[in-house]
Amino acid sequence: THCVAISIDRDVFWPLIANLQSERHSEEVQRDLIRRDAPVEMMRCLFALVAREYTRLRRILAVQPAVGRPPEPDEDTAHRLWRAITAEQDACDGEELSPEQYLRVSQATGASIRTVWRHAQRWGDYLPASRSCGLDTSQASPQQETQRAAVS
């Protein structure tokens, strides 16, 4: 006979492992976003990350602090952003865009993650069934912005 008997409750173990894998994936996505200079507001909305934790991750990853707003994209980039964001919004059936979708839009359009976030929030009213975090609905669509710029 053995003096110690060890067993694993598989009904508890496998969900625990799945949860750990999900947490690891979430941490990797957070790091990817921060490496690409994601704004603190984006991280707060997507991951409930507080400013202190955001700053700590930026320091750990040696990301230089962002200064000011990113420049407005040119017209071609703005149109690519609009098409990519609306395509991702259509793909998620009206749910809030996932962090991975923001990364895909950034990669597909060549726009910074800050620019993607800002424009997704700005265009929230014009996207189909958008429920983005902290939408600023007082902003104009890309077409309205282009028209305003053409008049100026």
Side-chain angles (χ1 to χ4, degrees):
T1 66
H2 297 283
C3 64
V4 177
I6 298 174
S7 67
I8 294 177
D9 183 347
R10 294 174 193 264
D11 294 335
V12 174
F13 179 75
W14 290 114
L16 180 64
I17 293 299
N19 186 39
L20 289 172
Q21 289 172 334
S22 174
E23 285 295 317
R24 173 176 274 170
H25 175 71
S26 176
E27 289 172 1
E28 288 173 6
V29 171
Q30 288 177 33
R31 287 188 183 107
D32 285 347
L33 286 166
I34 288 176
R35 280 187 192 105
R36 294 186 177 160
D37 198 29
V40 68
E41 180 66 16
M42 177 184 200
M43 299 302 287
R44 183 192 63 75
C45 287
L46 297 177
F47 299 102
L49 204 65
V50 295
R52 180 178 285 170
E53 182 66 12
Y54 173 81
T55 302
R56 185 186 73 78
L57 285 172
R58 286 182 70 92
R59 283 186 188 140
I60 288 171
L61 298 171
V63 175
Q64 295 298 318
V67 179
R69 292 182 180 173
E72 286 293 322
D74 59 42
E75 188 175 338
D76 184 49
T77 303
H79 288 292
R80 283 196 320 266
L81 267 172
W82 176 259
R83 286 189 297 274
I85 290 170
T86 54
E88 290 293 343
Q89 189 68 41
D90 290 344
C92 67
D93 295 327
E95 294 296 319
E96 182 178 326
L97 293 179
S98 71
E100 293 86 353
Q101 287 174 303
Y102 283 107
L103 286 168
R104 279 197 300 270
V105 169
S106 176
Q107 291 167 345
T109 62
S112 74
I113 208 74
R114 282 182 180 270
T115 300
V116 172
W117 173 256
R118 190 175 71 221
H119 283 77
Q121 300 308 296
R122 181 182 293 172
W123 296 334
D125 272 353
Y126 304 100
L127 295 172
S130 177
R131 288 191 250 157
S132 295
C133 179
L135 286 177
D136 179 2
T137 59
S138 64
Q139 300 293 326
S141 73
Q143 291 82 6
Q144 290 170 325
E145 289 176 12
T146 303
Q147 289 170 351
R148 261 194 239 143
V151 171
S152 299

